[in-house]
Amino acid sequence: MARRTHVFGRRRAGLLSAVLLRGVLLPVGLLAGGFAVSARRSQDTRAAAVQSVDLLLVGGTVVDGTGAPGRRADVAIAGSRVVAVGENLSRNGARRVLDVTGQVVAPGFIDLHAHLEPLLQLSLMESALRQGVTLALGGPDGGSPLPLGPYLDSVRAVQPGINVAYLVGHNDVRRAVMNMDARAPSAAELSRMKQLVAEAMGQGAFGLSTGLLYLPGTYSNVEEVIALAQVASDSGGIYTSHLRKEGIGLLDGVGEALEIGRRARIPVVLTHHKAVGQQMWGKSTVTLAMVDSARRAGTDVMIDQYPYTATHTGIGVLVPSWAMAGGTGEFRKRLAVPALRDSIKADIVFNILNDRGGGDLARVQFSRVPWDRTLEGKTLKDWAARRNLAPTPENGAELVLEAMLNGGGNAIYHVLDEGDVRRIMTHPFTMIASDGRLSQPGDGHPHPRAYGTFPRVLGRYVREQRLLSLEQAVHKMTQMPAQRLGLSDRGVLRVGAVADVVVFDAGTVVDQSTFTAPHQYPKGIGTVVVNGVVAVENGAPTGARAGTVVTRPRPRPRP
């Protein structure tokens, strides 16, 4: 269909005429070749003001986020919005022109699972920004700031480098009402938790996150989670689930999340979906079939995933949750009882053999150990060798207990199968998300996903392995997560959209962060634009802090 435009009355010499293009005004002189005149508009609209262009990206291949084939086009930006996408846009009148010939121009990437806890200290958010991320969703895995509203004011005050949004975390809601109690809530406690979720939703949260593997969320039952998810649903929110089990028990964990989505009538994200431990490798065939079946039955469920064969979480994931009921003080008391200590140790041994431990102490690699920084980057096997201990599961369990008594720590767990990673990635309802924590060089030994998730997909799985097409990958990083969040003006490159843009070299883009040397930024990402402001140029941050806090759109009426 021909594009319908209207040329308004001409201004005095030296000024450009204005064109209405899909509801956005821009200068006629910006567009080579001119436009046909439509007579649909009445004469009283012809005095409209001229729209200027602040930034013009010329010569690139636009991959617009929708999954459509890339095409040669220029992109014009005025203020914080895209005002034109087309071939051979004139440079006349543009305040700044960037020649991106030979580069891909895409919507900025949206990270649907980001650990933004250090944001107030790392407000430039460079580890995300330099991946091409322009919007990150915080508050995953049941953990979020609470109360949310005042925290969002703090974020606005530091002027973040990229846009941020938040979920409300079930674990923090439960902890605020019930501390670390391992029991079902009373009616009054559940009512108070529902109130806290409603307050956070009213302050702009996009939905509810749970981390049912973690404390104290693991002590909840499905009825509690459904009740809270219904509150989020009533406000138009989503539900993201770190499953109760991702290793043995994975299928039950997926089933629980699908039940919550069905009964609460809420869109679901199975976040960082994976199959943990060799006994579960290959089970993604079953979990993906469960997702497909649920979708056919009417549950709106999607997936997000990071492109690595290792997970990351606290070392306490190897400790049975019953041992932590009541908090650290109660845990110490239980360890002082020989029979209980033996039971706790036996459960840790089981988890080392069958779950996150991967059956080998070398698969557990410390990332952050506040009480002994020399362990960062080392494995449980390395620590055992330092103590002249054989690398047995039993000795590993003793070291885990020692770590917990010293205050805990975080670790990388090399327990995933590449076949599952690839299978999950190609599922049509899988999005790309990092699960990465904001990081800076020299601070700990983070999982490389913090620096490399999005470039890794583009370099390894698109260019090298051709598992995905470029357009498919970009769609999974842009429009798909934007639609999950209900953001119609983000995640796409079209007229009227927010001007969040990433420009990269499809022939060189790749992650450089590794499990042995994680503090490395990716290469091949030359330009990042956040809300119309150039935040990365020639591969380096400009120092601009153009991000904002994005809050949930008003809910759409239920059918």
Side-chain angles (χ1 to χ4, degrees), residues 416-431:
L416 304 182
D417 177 62
E418 178 69 15
D420 286 314
V421 171
R422 292 167 60 86
R423 186 179 300 112
I424 293 168
M425 188 179 296
T426 57
H427 190 275
F429 289 97
T430 295
M431 302 166 284

Side-chain angles (χ1 to χ4, degrees), residues 24 80-83 488-500:
V24 181
S80 63
R81 298 279 169 169
V82 175
V83 295
S488 60
D489 60 351
R490 295 182 187 270
V492 290
L493 272 185
R494 59 166 173 75
V495 172
V498 174
D500 289 342

Side-chain angles (χ1 to χ4, degrees), residues 116-363:
L116 305 180
E117 293 84 356
L119 191 157
L120 299 182
Q121 294 74 43
L122 302 178
S123 56
L124 186 60
M125 306 177 73
E126 189 172 352
S127 58
L129 175 64
R130 290 180 65 164
Q131 293 186 60
V133 174
T134 57
L135 170 61
L137 181 67
D141 298 333
S144 71
L146 199 70
L148 182 61
Y151 181 80
L152 296 183
D153 290 338
S154 299
V155 173
R156 293 183 183 100
V158 301
Q159 298 181 320
I162 67 172
N163 302 300
V164 296
Y166 279 86
L167 301 161
V168 56
H170 169 237
N171 286 342
D172 284 284
V173 167
R174 195 178 213 273
R175 187 180 294 110
V177 176
M178 300 178 62
N179 298 312
M180 295 289 286
D181 290 355
R183 58 177 176 81
S186 67
E189 289 168 334
L190 182 60
S191 177
R192 176 57 180 152
M193 286 194 282
K194 292 167 69 174
Q195 181 183 2
L196 289 177
V197 172
E199 288 174 357
M201 295 300 296
Q203 293 161 354
F206 277 81
L208 174 72
S209 78
T210 55
L212 300 179
L213 180 65
Y214 299 131
L215 306 175
T218 192
Y219 304 132
S220 66
N221 59 35
V222 69
E223 299 300 330
E224 174 186 323
V225 180
I226 289 170
L228 300 180
Q230 286 175 331
V231 175
S233 177
D234 290 342
S235 294
I238 65 173
Y239 172 65
T240 76
S241 175
H242 179 129
L243 303 177
R244 197 177 294 270
K245 295 292 183 182
E246 295 179 315
I248 295 174
L250 169 64
L251 304 186
D252 290 336
V254 172
E256 180 182 44
L258 297 178
E259 180 185 359
I260 292 165
R262 176 180 59 83
R263 292 177 56 189
R265 297 184 64 199
I266 189 168
V268 176
V269 177
L270 304 183
T271 197
H272 52 46
H273 190 47
K274 53 187 173 286
V276 170
Q278 295 184 35
Q279 294 185 49
M280 300 306 295
W281 288 357
K283 293 298 184 182
S284 60
T285 57
V286 180
T287 63
L288 296 179
M290 293 172 71
V291 167
D292 293 338
S293 177
R295 290 190 62 84
R296 288 193 296 269
T299 300
D300 182 5
V301 56
M302 297 177 71
I303 298 164
D304 71 47
Q305 177 206 37
Y306 51 78
Y308 296 90
T309 56
T311 77
H312 179 274
T313 193
I315 194 69
V317 76
L318 297 171
V319 178
S321 59
W322 64 263
M324 301 300 299
T328 302
E330 294 301 312
F331 174 64
R332 290 178 179 274
K333 290 178 183 178
R334 292 184 183 102
L335 288 180
V337 179
L340 291 178
R341 190 183 194 283
D342 288 346
S343 294
I344 293 170
K345 181 178 176 180
D347 282 354
I348 295 173
V349 168
F350 178 87
N351 287 332
I352 289 174
L353 288 172
N354 301 292
D355 201 84
R356 299 276 167 162
D360 185 348
L361 302 191
R363 291 182 178 270

Side-chain angles (χ1 to χ4, degrees), residues 409-527:
N410 294 316
I412 298 163
Y413 303 85
H414 298 266
V415 290
L416 304 182
D417 177 62
E418 178 69 15
D420 286 314
V421 171
R422 292 167 60 86
R423 186 179 300 112
I424 293 168
M425 188 179 296
T426 57
H427 190 275
F429 289 97
T430 295
M431 302 166 284
I432 305 303
S434 75
D435 192 16
R437 186 177 189 269
L438 288 177
S439 298
Q440 64 179 348
D443 185 12
H445 191 98
H447 192 299
R449 66 194 183 190
Y451 288 93
T453 291
F454 296 87
R456 181 176 178 83
V457 171
L458 295 171
R460 178 179 175 87
Y461 293 100
V462 173
R463 184 180 64 249
E464 296 176 6
Q465 298 188 13
R466 299 185 179 182
L467 183 68
L468 301 172
S469 71
L470 178 60
E471 291 83 359
Q472 286 174 322
V474 169
H475 180 55
K476 288 173 177 286
M477 300 173 181
T478 57
Q479 189 183 50
M480 282 181 70
Q483 289 176 334
R484 178 85 314 186
L485 295 175
L487 300 174
S488 60
D489 60 351
R490 295 182 187 270
V492 290
L493 272 185
R494 59 166 173 75
V495 172
V498 174
D500 289 342
V501 183
V502 57
V503 180
F504 60 89
D505 185 338
T508 63
V509 63
V510 74
D511 61 313
Q512 298 191 105
S513 177
T514 68
F515 289 107
T516 55
H519 291 294
Q520 299 185 78
Y521 295 107
K523 67 177 183 178
I525 295 182
T527 304

